[in-house]
Amino acid sequence: MLGSYTVESDSLTFRPRFPAMPGVATRAVFHVPGGADVKAVFEPARKQPAASTRVEHVYPSGGVLPANQLKFYVHFSAPMARGDAWKHIHLVNEGGAPVDLPFLEIDQELWDRQNRRLTILFDPGRIKRGVLPREQAGAAIEAGKQYALAIDRDWLDASGSPLREPFRKTFRVVPEYRAALDPKAWRIATPAAGTAGPLALDFPKPMDHALLARVIQVIGARGPVPGKIAIDREETQWRFVPDEPWKAGEYRLQVDRSLEDLAGNHIGRAFDVDTFDTVSKHLERTTVSLPFRIGQQ
Amino acid sequence: MRALKFFIVMSAVAISFGAGAVNLKSGKADLKSAGPLAFGPEGILFAGDSAGASLIALDTGDRTPAKSTGSFEIKGINRKIAALLGTAPDQILIQDVAVNPISKNVYLSVSRGRGPDAIPVILRADASGKISELALDDIKHSSVSLPDAPGAETKDARGQSHRMETITHMAFVNGNVIVAGLSNEEFSSSLRSIPYPFQQAGKGTSVEIYHGSHGRFETNAPVRTFVPFTVDNEPQILAAYTCTPLVKIPVSELKPGNKVKGTTIAELGNHNRPLDMIVYRKNGRDYILMANSSRGVMKLPLDGIGKFEPITSQTEIKGVPYETIAGLKGVQHLDRFNEANALMLTDNAGSLDLQTVPLP
């Protein structure tokens, strides 16, 4: 065990570098010169908390996904333990059989800082056109079929307890979305000046939940407008409620080009771009502005 | 005469410090997490801190050349590390393994605990089997924020900071630390080239990596792992994309704001899950040795790599002929040890064994 030894008023004291974990037995042996060893065993009692952590939500919320769905976000009610994710996550087909390696099994696991949200990526090698895994094994999910994302109960949380119950999300699959996002197809519903009513932005298809929460800002005459965002209707609506009542005037929605739909398509650029069409040689401007006006009632 | 002698002594001292450690300050190195490791010059160890969104250079002070050329073996290193850290073997995660090219001591980045409060620890193992801690509370070090990576303070409009970039691999090439990362939100593919000694990083120094399949479909291509390699005197990196092609990218193209497409040298195909790669030379030919969590350890020839042309027409996609090395299963980490051996961390039914293996 790492630690330091000191002699303090007739005692030999060992301070471990890290406090011993509950349930881990520690043995101390003192070799008496010319005599028998003195031994002691310490085992701090381990209190195993009852299983209470559960999967709170999986995004996308909807039950219909494209065949080139790119990711799931799994939200847990409490922090989880890292390192075993791939043993406990399964994609099963209509017959209940597991799909072989549908996901990108990254060793490090794509958690957030609190270990409460896990990002699961579908294997891009089976989504992208023209790469070998897709040629060999085909796509992981096929249009017209139904699947379930299943999460085992025996996945341990950060306190060492399993989940309270297993989780299952069934969904059916429709053909791939391979078109770039077009802001002209989005609808903005504006509230009246003098109210603090919500501004609603509606999309024809669901968007990536995490990016929706982050990449859209309302900009007014004096800069970004402070307020609260809500995401609704299975990620097809972004809603904004200002902290202060709206003033009449010109505004714009500033949308970062990193916004993705469920298949990773961006504004003006599909997930996989057919280069027989023109492709830009340089990275483009990073945001798109959608102007709107707040008028008097 | 005396003045001259003094001058000579001072020069000798300056030379022995070298360029590696001069700019580093002593103090507590504040690591929030310790992920990928890479050695720089003169015993400088770089550690990638995904939680802290930063890169840190640590002076290990470990500059004495190895005496024996021999082998290295520590069986059950996971149990030994757990005991050192006062915890159970299933409560530690070995994040990466790197060999100090000078001393041949082996460094490991370890997570003590598996929850969000896991403590990062860097350990050093030597050929005698002794494992000690590289203490971080008073060490010469320097750190830099990863450009464009979201820090803990980055909150979305609902006040939450879920976004994080996970560093998947790093290497020191020609005075720069090249860092590959994967976001937990946008499907991004950035590679950052950070000069060392660190300057205060400017914004937007990351490079977007794309894959062009058969010159037709162009997509963002996150990099899982890569290895530096020189082709015709030009520094390159050989990178394994998550969608499985193995590509070469000239280091000179890794400039801020560039949009870079690697040249495909091999299509590794389904079930390819590369963890680590090294390049080596045997009997006058170059090879890649790749630890793959699906397929064991693979050896691929790099014949004619200097002559690879980008694939521009719709040709039939073929897999690359690779050789699976028999008897090497469960390899989790791989690094070069010396001219004749690699160092591997292997899972043998729960016992993680660290040992040198002759290059096949």
Side-chain angles (χ1 to χ4, degrees):
Chain A
M1 242 177 125
L2 288 177
S4 57
Y5 296 86
T6 48
V7 176
E8 293 160 28
S9 47
D10 293 348
S11 305
L12 175 65
T13 303
F14 172 74
R15 284 189 181 75
R17 170 82 171 83
F18 298 100
M21 289 268 295
V24 175
T26 313
R27 190 163 52 95
V29 181
F30 180 66
H31 304 291
V32 177
D37 286 348
V38 178
K39 297 178 193 173
V41 174
F42 308 90
E43 188 161 353
R46 185 186 180 145
K47 273 186 316 236
Q48 188 58 58
S52 60
T53 305
R54 36 184 289 280
V55 174
E56 273 182 337
H57 200 93
V58 169
Y59 294 100
S61 307
V64 175
L65 302 185
N68 57 344
Q69 174 69 29
L70 191 51
K71 40 181 127 93
F72 286 117
Y73 294 112
V74 183
H75 288 246
F76 294 88
S77 60
M80 296 293 289
R82 292 187 174 243
D84 287 328
W86 306 115
K87 296 194 190 96
H88 301 294
I89 298 172
H90 314 281
L91 189 70
V92 293
N93 64 20
E94 281 163 337
V99 176
D100 185 34
L101 275 186
F103 303 129
L104 192 67
E105 296 189 1
I106 296 277
D107 251 24
Q108 295 91 343
E109 299 173 12
L110 298 176
W111 292 95
D112 67 353
R113 285 187 176 78
Q114 293 76 35
N115 283 22
R116 284 188 57 183
R117 185 190 76 183
L118 180 71
T119 302
I120 299 173
L121 292 173
F122 275 84
D123 181 353
R126 295 173 72 177
I127 295 175
K128 294 185 184 186
R129 293 177 287 187
V131 290
L132 191 54
R134 189 173 169 91
E135 300 291 312
Q136 292 171 324
I141 54 178
E142 292 170 41
K145 297 194 175 158
Q146 199 161 299
Y147 297 85
L149 175 71
I151 291 175
D152 298 339
R153 208 195 144 221
D154 53 3
W155 192 349
L156 300 183
D157 66 14
S159 70
S161 301
L163 297 178
R164 204 168 70 191
E165 66 231 356
F167 177 86
R168 198 172 171 87
K169 175 190 167 80
T170 49
F171 56 94
R172 69 179 173 84
V173 180
V174 294
E176 299 173 339
Y177 302 160
R178 288 208 188 262
L181 301 181
D182 181 8
K184 292 199 285 297
W186 304 350
R187 294 281 158 263
I188 301 176
T190 53
T195 70
L199 172 79
L201 176 62
D202 284 292
F203 307 99
K205 289 202 184 64
M207 293 286 147
D208 180 280
H209 181 262
L211 296 172
L212 256 193
R214 188 166 52 78
V215 305
I216 305 178
Q217 273 195 306
V218 177
I219 313 281
R222 269 170 286 175
V225 177
K228 307 239 176 333
I229 288 174
I231 296 168
D232 213 349
R233 304 194 188 166
E234 295 178 351
E235 296 94 67
T236 61
Q237 185 178 81
W238 179 92
R239 241 184 8 257
F240 177 86
V241 172
D243 290 346
E244 301 287 327
W246 296 99
K247 293 190 172 40
E250 306 291 333
Y251 291 81
R252 60 192 173 85
L253 278 176
Q254 185 173 279
V255 182
D256 199 290
R257 280 181 181 274
S258 60
L259 181 65
E260 293 172 15
D261 67 4
L262 301 187
N265 298 308
H266 295 103
I267 297 170
R269 189 188 162 92
F271 175 75
D272 57 356
V273 178
D274 190 334
T275 59
F276 286 170
D277 314 322
T278 339
V279 181
S280 64
K281 294 257 179 301
H282 302 285
L283 301 178
E284 307 201 15
R285 289 192 37 171
T286 56
T287 64
V288 157
S289 285
L290 308 175
F292 65 95
R293 165 184 293 185
I294 301 277
Q296 295 294 351
Q297 197 137 28
Chain B
M1 261 329 269
R2 241 210 213 147
L4 182 61
K5 233 194 211 171
F6 181 71
F7 174 73
I8 290 166
V9 167
M10 283 308 291
S11 309
V13 168
I15 287 163
S16 72
F17 264 132
V22 166
N23 59 312
L24 305 180
K25 290 196 173 58
S26 286
K28 184 171 193 302
D30 185 25
L31 266 187
K32 304 221 166 23
S33 65
L37 298 176
F39 267 97
E42 297 170 33
I44 300 298
L45 177 65
F46 297 107
D49 179 357
S50 301
S54 64
L55 177 62
I56 191 157
L58 300 164
D59 184 5
T60 63
D62 184 19
R63 291 183 261 280
T64 309
K67 290 188 192 63
S68 61
T69 53
S71 57
F72 192 109
E73 188 183 54
I74 302 180
K75 282 197 176 344
I77 196 170
N78 53 326
R79 299 196 183 106
K80 298 187 163 95
I81 290 173
L84 275 177
L85 303 183
T87 187
D90 66 359
Q91 290 303 310
I92 63 144
L93 288 173
I94 297 178
Q95 307 284 7
D96 204 3
V97 174
V99 177
N100 182 337
I102 301 172
S103 65
K104 306 301 182 195
N105 287 327
V106 178
Y107 288 73
L108 302 102
S109 50
V110 175
S111 215
R112 182 189 189 265
R114 290 180 173 228
D117 304 321
I119 301 171
V121 181
I122 300 194
L123 300 173
R124 165 177 44 223
D126 65 26
S128 73
K130 172 159 168 274
I131 304 170
S132 53
E133 187 189 358
L134 182 70
L136 301 177
D137 49 0
D138 189 16
I139 184 169
K140 288 185 118 176
H141 69 284
S142 162
S143 73
V144 71
S145 297
L146 283 182
D148 299 331
E153 72 295 339
T154 307
K155 288 185 176 16
D156 64 23
R158 298 153 106 213
Q160 297 172 334
S161 63
H162 293 298
R163 184 171 173 234
M164 206 169 99
E165 191 154 323
T166 295
I167 301 169
T168 53
H169 199 76
M170 298 191 326
F172 183 73
V173 187
N174 269 27
N176 289 280
V177 185
I178 299 180
V179 182
L182 190 52
S183 170
N184 68 354
E185 292 191 353
E186 63 274 22
F187 185 71
S188 73
S189 50
S190 68
L191 213 56
R192 297 178 175 83
S193 184
I194 298 171
Y196 178 76
F198 299 141
Q199 298 139 24
Q200 271 324 297
K203 288 187 60 117
T205 57
S206 62
V207 177
E208 280 210 26
I209 305 294
Y210 288 81
H211 171 57
S213 61
H214 304 292
R216 181 145 183 223
F217 296 113
E218 185 185 274
T219 52
N220 278 42
V223 168
R224 268 228 228 217
T225 188
F226 64 90
V227 61
F229 184 55
T230 302
V231 183
D232 295 335
N233 287 326
E234 193 192 359
Q236 307 249 358
I237 59 167
L238 302 181
Y241 285 168
T242 55
C243 51
T244 81
L246 188 65
V247 303
K248 64 175 173 134
I249 301 174
V251 171
S252 59
E253 272 187 43
L254 299 179
K255 285 190 176 51
N258 263 14
K259 191 174 141 169
V260 172
K261 270 199 260 197
T263 301
T264 302
I265 59 174
E267 283 274 12
L268 293 164
N270 200 28
H271 285 189
N272 179 50
R273 290 151 67 194
L275 298 168
D276 268 329
M277 301 192 288
I278 59 173
V279 289
Y280 67 101
R281 202 164 170 81
K282 190 152 179 154
N283 300 328
R285 296 170 76 188
D286 293 310
Y287 298 94
I288 290 180
L289 194 67
M290 181 188 291
N292 192 308
S293 54
S294 272
R295 296 190 181 142
V297 177
M298 297 154 59
K299 175 181 169 183
L300 289 86
L302 282 174
D303 293 337
I305 185 180
K307 299 181 196 59
F308 278 97
E309 296 295 332
I311 300 172
T312 51
S313 59
Q314 185 97 16
T315 55
E316 194 189 307
I317 318 171
K318 287 210 219 328
V320 66
Y322 59 85
E323 188 190 327
T324 302
I325 308 300
L328 288 177
K329 286 200 177 346
V331 176
Q332 296 187 349
H333 292 283
L334 171 66
D335 198 4
R336 288 212 55 161
F337 190 74
N338 57 24
E339 287 307 305
N341 294 281
L343 181 83
M344 297 187 187
L345 182 76
T346 308
D347 184 351
N348 289 311
S351 170
L352 295 188
D353 301 336
L354 191 64
Q355 61 206 123
T356 45
V357 175
L359 290 165

